[in-house]
Every structure is written in C-alpha cells, then in structure tokens.
Amino acid sequence: MSNAPNEPVAATNFIRNLIDADLAAGKYAQRRWCGRPGVASEQLAGALDPAKIRTRFPPEPNGYLHYGHAKSICLNFGLARDYGGRCHLRFDDTNPEKEEQEYVDSIIDAVRWLGFAWENEGESNLYFASDYFDAMFACAETLIEAGHAYVDSQSADAMRAHRGTLKQAGKNSPFRARSSAENLDLFRRMRAGEFADGTHILRAKIDMASPNINLRDPAIYRIRHATHHNTGDTWCVYPMYTFAHPIEDALENVTHSICTLEFEDQRPFYDWLLARLAEGGLFQRPLPQQIEFSRLNLTYVVLSKRKLIQLVDEKHVAGWDDPRLPTLAGARRRGYAPEGFCLFAERIGVSKSDSLIDYALLEEAMREVLNESAPRRIAVLDPLKLIIDNYPAGQSETCFAPNHPLKPELGKRAMPFGGELWIEREDFMEVPSKGYRRLFPGNMARLRYGFVVKCTGCDKDADGNVVAVHCDYLPDSKSGSAGADNYKVKGNLHWVSVAAGYASEVRLYDRLFAYPAPGSWREDAPGTAGSPARDGEVNERNFIDDLNPDSVKVITAWLEPALRQASPEERFQFERHGYFVADRIDSKHGAPVFNRTVTLKDTQNKS
Ligand code: ATP
Ligand code: MG
C-alpha cells in the first residue's frame, strides 16, 4: 500500500471534483469574512476570506461521537486541510432538550484526538449554534416581512391532515393569508411568552401542492418553554433544525455544507431559504451549498446515538468509553489509532450509494498503522511452565530482542532468561498433530531471541492435565551467537522468564455483536417473527438480542519486565498475539493493565 497512514493521499471523489470545479471557476473567491460569523452587513466590512473553502462538522451535543462521525470529521477537516480552507467545529445545539456539557467536552476531545484542529492563524472556529438565536430570529422576521412566512394557529392534528400525501397535494391553512403585520405581531408575542407550547407555529410560505413534502410550508419556529443549556430561559421559541442549519452555514461563510443522504430531500428548502434571506440582504452570495454523501454503516456494530445510549443506560457495556463500544472514546481506550480512522476513511471513500462496510476493513487499517508504529513486546496469555533441566541452577542471563523489526534504530531491549520460563499452552502437545512444529517430546524448537531447546517430556496432575514441560537447552545456540545457525528448527516460540516476568490483567476484546447486522431480520434468529424486509420496509428485531455474550474475556497473563514501564495509552504488538494498549483509565504507575486492540490476523471473518 502506498498510502502511508501519516500522509493521507487525497483519493478523488465526487465532492473533490465539485470543489475543484468551484475553485477553478473562482466561485467563492470574492466572499468577504470579518473574522467571525455574521450577516452580510458584517461580513462585507471584512477582507476577502483567506479560506479557499469553509466546511464544518456540526454535531448535536446529545451523545458521544461514534465511528460514523469519524468519517464525517476526516472528510470535512480533510477537505479544508487539502484545499487551503478551514473547517469549523459547530455544536448544533438549537434543541433545548437533551444537550449536556459532558457531551460537548467529549466531542471536543474526540475531534482533537483524531488529530484535527479548528484554530487557524488566529481564527478559532469553534461555534455554538445557540449563539445565533438572535440572528435566526431576525431571519424569521425578514421572511415574515417579505411575505415568506406566516404564523399558523391550527392544531397539530389539523396541520397533519392538511399536509397531504405523496400522491395528494396538501391544503392551505386557513391562517395562511394573515397579513405581514399580524404575523409579525403574533411572532413577537410568541417570543414574549404569551402563548403555550403548540398553540402557534411559524411556517415558511412556499407551496402546499409541492411534490416535495418538505416544501409544503415547513415549520420553522415553534414555541417551547424549556431551559436551554447555553441560553437558559432567554428564549421560549426555538428554530426547527431545517431552518437553523442553513442559516448557521451562511453566518459562518461555509461554502460546502456536507451532510448525510437523509437530508437530500431537504436541499430544496435549504436553497429556498437562503435565497430568500439573500434577497432580504442578510447574506452575501454565493450562498453555501449542501452536498450529501452516504453515511458509514459497519458490520457488527450499531452507529446510532439512540442505540448507543441504550447500550450505556441499560449497562450492556461499562460506559461511553467501553473499549467494545463503537464510540471514539471507546476506540481510544481500545487502542485504535487516530491515523487508522483516517486511513480507513480514505479507503472507503465517499459516495452517494448506501453500503455496509465490513468491520474487518477498519481492523485492517488499524493493523497497518500499528504495525508501523507499535514497539514489540512479549506476553504469554495462556501460561504453561517450561523447565530447562540442564540450565545451571540459580543462573540467569540476558537476551536481546529488537523493539521493532522494521526500525532497527529503535534498538533492542533486555529480556532476562532463566531455567524456568512461561510459554503458551498451545506451544506444547504431548502427542503432536500432523504438521505440528512446536514442542513435543523429542522435538527441537527455538525460544525466540534465546536458545534452541529439545523437549524431553511433561508433568501432569492427577487429572492428566499437563502442568509443566521439560526440555534441555543447547548452550551454543543462542540467537545472535556464532552457533545459532547450526540448528535448523521450524518451531519458534515466545516466552517470559518466571523469575523476572510479572503477572498482569489483560482484557481480550471481541466484537460487541455476534451478528453482522444487529437487530435486522435473519433466518436463524430464535423467536424471529415475520419475514425479511421487503422494499422500503423495515423489519427490525431487538438489536440487544444480538449482543455477543463473549465480547470480553479478562485474563491474567505473564508479561516481560519491560512492560511495567508502559505509560497509559502506549501501544504495543505482543508478538504472535496482536496489538495491545495500556489502559488509560485503569493502569497504575508501574502496573499497567492491557487491552487487546486487534489480533494480528483476521481470524473471525471466516463466514
Ligand atoms: P446519529 O444518527 O447517530 O444520532 P446524527 O447524524 O444525529 O447521528 P449528529 O450529531 O447530527 O449525529 O452528526 C454530526 C455530523 O456527523 C452530521 O453531519 C452527520 O451527517 C454526520 N454523521 C453522523 N453519523 C454518520 C455516519 N454514520 N456516517 C457519516 N457521517 C455521519
Ligand atoms: Mg442528528
């Protein structure tokens, strides 16, 4: 692979093509920027916008970010980086419910952890949409004054009944003909708190017969007597998302507003709204453009905040940063590398067609990044004692193992060797199976970075379980010595000195769900009623039923002494096993606890 993880190669895609064309045409070259979000009168007083493009990542702070968000972050921040632009981190916090500071903090952490920044040359593009409530209110007033919005006082039921269907046009509200003056008065009284929730609503005046239902006079402001995490009780009217979002983009001079496909049908309203507001003098042209791409769907996980909240609330996982959870906080604890997400995002690309990506692809990207960056260490996960009968009693010596086979400049570390070692239980067979090359009575194998040994037998307990393996070593076979090449052996085992190694907790994580599409219909699901979904129909089971009961196994492993010094979040390859990270929460100084990030090979994907 030529895509080195640290230098993302811009694979071209339809969004890049569009930006290339916009830049070639100089489409956004004359926009002005006063250094902060604002309406046209403020922006036009500024200099030419130094940013060639502006994108944004606009999470709603109502949950932790998941792997799907990583795709959006890599895309938006990546485009800004590659095109001399800026990417804003904007908290889309216009909804007074559900939003919490904890989520804001976790989102900031996650974006930074992925390696992106919103500060550029003195500009800090971190914004809260709720700071724009005044501007949004002014936009609504502008629409009302120009006859493009009206206060509807129908009941919710009546409004629904008048909306029509895909095949049938809607009907005009009896309040649609209110004068601008009356609308303005009512809207201001809505704001002043004179009315109860749901009694009036501000709607855009477009076309109740439009084939696009989103254009049938969509609601743009509602009454909601609720306390907002940022603005407190200042407001009792709140903008609808589809009204707020285009305005946020326009205030921030966003050029390319990239979102997921479910907003495609909203694009005509996005364009209608900004065009009306530009006519009203509120925004400079050219206006931001909305571009949709398909969201990330991954096998074996769920990528929806609602479902993730359920997993946390019902304690199916230990918390938002449980290493099994597909949140970025979980990924970090799991040992996934931020560069791995960027590499993965490059590889899967962006398109407009929905697809389900194999989880193995994400794991492969992580392996690739970690193979480059992670130092090697030795851990015995399923220990069995190996006794070297001819090794002088009380003696010990030092072997040297390279820290990274691809990077000799990282040097070697000392590994104490002695007469008793821990080896993996699977590296001995009393009666070898066909082709088995490791230890069995009479066979020779190499203790990696150490000596060649010849197996002589084993000890068993009363139940016949093997409790120790015996061998003799060949003193002139030490790795790196002149005699090392005299022995041609096929088996090559890792080991840890019983005297110098230490026991430590290691968590072996596996997939959180046992099935590729959690909660969807499948033939063999116990108690599944119904049949596979037909076109456009969802036939969902409870995704909780598809949890993998064995998604974590906690073991006590024997580790080489150098691992005691590992600092939290340090990642290693445990030779022959996979990549592991020192847990950032549970590790104590001098006593790190390790999480398995990913195995060396994809052993789970044999379907
Ligand atoms: P969820 O559906 O999980 O609740 P959301 O879309 O409501 O997610 P937001 O906080 O609104 O979450 O999302 C912020 C940005 O991340 C949006 O631009 C959204 O399109 C993008 N995004 C969310 N989920 C995905 C995904 N699975 N793949 C790609 N982008 C995503
Ligand atoms: Mg959302």
Side-chain angles (χ1 to χ4, degrees):
M1 265 295 151
S2 56
N3 287 17
N6 293 329
E7 27 180 300
V9 174
T12 197
N13 58 49
F14 78 99
I15 299 180
R16 286 179 184 271
N17 293 342
L18 205 140
I19 294 175
D20 287 335
D22 286 346
L23 292 181
K27 182 168 170 187
Y28 293 100
Q30 298 307 313
R31 285 171 320 131
R32 296 188 168 265
W33 172 245
C34 65
R36 61 184 177 279
V39 291
S41 56
E42 295 163 287
Q43 299 298 4
L44 291 172
L48 287 179
D49 192 337
K52 296 246 177 11
I53 63 168
R54 284 185 191 268
T55 56
R56 86 286 172 268
F57 173 65
E60 191 179 341
N62 61 353
Y64 278 61
L65 297 184
H66 53 62
Y67 297 177
H69 293 113
K71 175 178 178 181
S72 179
I73 293 168
C74 293
L75 176 63
N76 280 296
F77 281 91
L79 289 170
R81 174 198 59 211
D82 296 346
Y83 282 100
R86 312 252 157 110
C87 181
H88 302 185
L89 173 58
R90 177 205 307 151
F91 289 99
D92 212 326
D93 61 348
T94 53
N95 186 345
E97 293 125 40
K98 298 189 295 191
E99 285 150 8
E100 287 176 31
Q101 189 62 36
E102 178 194 351
Y103 297 139
V104 170
D105 295 341
S106 76
I107 290 169
I108 288 180
D109 278 355
V111 177
R112 279 201 202 286
W113 177 73
L114 279 176
F116 295 108
W118 43 87
E119 298 94 350
N120 290 75
E121 297 163 27
E123 223 177 87
S124 174
N125 292 302
L126 174 70
Y127 301 114
F128 288 84
S130 57
D131 287 336
Y132 308 147
F133 280 157
D134 281 311
M136 290 175 188
F137 193 83
C139 287
E141 289 190 326
T142 299
L143 288 184
I144 293 172
E145 283 164 356
H148 295 309
Y150 63 99
V151 173
D152 197 352
S153 309
Q154 298 183 93
S155 70
D157 284 342
M159 236 180 288
R160 214 171 296 120
H162 285 169
R163 209 159 150 241
T165 64
L166 281 176
K167 292 187 184 125
Q168 208 173 27
K171 286 200 194 80
N172 285 352
S173 160
F175 301 98
R176 201 174 196 261
R178 277 174 167 157
S179 69
S180 291
E182 187 184 358
N183 283 319
L184 205 54
D185 174 61
L186 279 170
F187 186 51
R188 287 179 180 162
R189 288 165 59 200
M190 281 166 64
R191 175 191 183 160
E194 287 187 30
F195 308 118
D197 289 4
T199 50
H200 302 279
I201 197 156
L202 186 68
R203 299 177 73 174
K205 193 177 196 172
I206 311 179
D207 178 7
M208 286 305 290
S210 171
N212 183 341
I213 292 188
N214 298 303
L215 293 181
R216 294 184 188 169
D217 293 7
I220 58 181
Y221 251 99
R222 64 194 166 129
I223 303 174
R224 187 82 189 82
H225 290 270
T227 304
H228 186 279
H229 81 117
N230 181 22
T231 56
D233 293 320
T234 307
W235 296 89
C236 63
V237 288
Y238 289 95
M240 306 301 283
Y241 178 84
T242 49
F243 173 78
H245 203 89
I247 295 175
E248 294 159 21
D249 286 342
L251 288 167
E252 292 180 19
N253 254 20
V254 164
T255 55
H256 301 84
S257 175
I258 301 165
C259 63
T260 42
L261 272 181
E262 65 270 24
F263 293 101
E264 196 165 24
D265 290 346
Q266 292 289 352
R267 189 177 354 125
F269 179 63
Y270 185 104
D271 291 339
W272 179 92
L273 176 65
L274 293 184
R276 296 297 80 74
L277 295 172
E279 284 164 16
L282 283 168
F283 297 124
Q284 60 182 321
R285 292 178 187 272
L287 292 160
Q289 55 180 322
Q290 175 179 309
I291 304 162
E292 310 87 17
F293 72 104
S294 68
R295 63 194 294 119
L296 172 66
N297 298 307
L298 258 190
T299 56
Y300 296 102
V301 294
V302 290
L303 297 181
S304 129
K305 280 187 220 151
R306 183 180 58 77
K307 289 180 178 169
L308 296 175
I309 287 173
Q310 190 181 340
L311 288 169
V312 173
D313 283 354
E314 294 179 2
K315 300 201 172 8
H316 299 288
V317 292
W320 280 109
D321 63 351
D322 188 303
R324 293 166 295 173
L325 209 59
T327 53
L328 295 180
R332 181 168 178 182
R333 263 190 97 175
R334 173 89 174 234
Y336 281 0
E339 300 84 357
F341 279 106
C342 299
L343 181 62
F344 173 69
E346 271 309 323
R347 293 230 171 112
I348 59 174
V350 285
S351 77
K352 273 187 171 290
S353 49
D354 263 319
S355 64
L356 182 61
I357 305 285
D358 192 334
Y359 196 87
L361 243 84
L362 176 65
E363 292 186 317
E364 199 42 47
M366 294 301 164
R367 282 189 195 101
E368 235 174 277
V369 166
L370 295 171
N371 182 38
E372 280 282 321
S373 60
R376 275 44 172 177
R377 292 290 183 267
I378 305 287
V380 174
L381 302 186
D382 186 10
L384 176 63
K385 196 173 274 183
L386 178 71
I387 300 167
I388 307 174
D389 291 304
N390 66 340
Y391 196 79
Q395 184 176 309
S396 70
E397 64 193 284
T398 303
C399 296
F400 290 92
N403 284 319
H404 200 301
L406 309 172
K407 298 181 180 173
E409 69 276 15
L410 294 183
K412 296 186 173 191
R413 67 195 187 279
M415 290 216 313
F417 184 91
E420 291 197 347
L421 307 174
W422 295 112
I423 60 169
E424 297 290 343
R425 187 162 287 275
E426 63 168 31
D427 285 343
F428 171 76
M429 284 184 97
E430 193 179 10
V431 181
S433 57
K434 192 163 174 286
Y436 190 80
R437 291 167 170 173
R438 289 166 272 168
L439 292 179
F440 55 86
N443 194 43
M444 291 206 288
R446 173 168 291 282
L447 297 171
R448 183 176 272 193
Y449 317 122
F451 296 87
V452 172
V453 292
K454 179 170 188 170
C455 182
T456 53
C458 65
D459 300 335
K460 296 187 196 176
D461 65 12
D463 298 327
N465 301 310
V466 175
V467 293
V469 176
H470 287 268
C471 68
D472 287 329
Y473 86 124
L474 304 161
D476 61 344
S477 66
K478 192 170 186 178
S479 294
S481 74
D485 291 338
N486 294 339
Y487 303 92
K488 295 279 173 254
V489 295
K490 299 237 167 83
N492 194 339
L493 325 182
H494 65 270
W495 50 272
V496 166
S497 150
V498 169
Y502 75 105
S504 170
E505 178 177 320
V506 171
R507 296 89 169 252
L508 303 178
Y509 292 106
D510 202 340
R511 291 176 171 163
L512 182 55
F513 288 94
Y515 299 93
S520 65
W521 188 88
R522 67 191 151 79
E523 210 149 329
D524 60 335
T528 299
S531 53
R534 275 165 296 173
D535 270 357
E537 181 189 316
V538 190
N539 190 353
E540 291 222 329
R541 298 164 37 255
N542 186 356
F543 73 103
I544 298 287
D545 292 341
D546 285 344
L547 281 166
N548 174 8
D550 302 313
S551 55
V552 58
K553 193 168 140 199
V554 180
I555 61 167
T556 301
W558 280 87
L559 309 184
E560 67 162 286
L563 282 167
R564 276 191 204 275
Q565 274 85 55
S567 34
E569 292 200 73
E570 218 179 327
R571 304 182 184 95
F572 300 95
Q573 183 195 98
F574 288 179
E575 291 190 22
R576 295 174 69 207
H577 288 303
Y579 297 96
F580 290 72
V581 66
D583 189 273
R584 62 191 289 255
I585 308 292
D586 300 332
S587 291
K588 306 233 164 25
H589 187 69
V593 168
F594 290 91
N595 300 334
R596 184 171 70 197
T597 307
V598 61
T599 53
L600 276 188
K601 290 199 191 82
D602 180 12
T603 50
Q604 310 175 70
N605 206 40
K606 309 266 152 53
S607 50

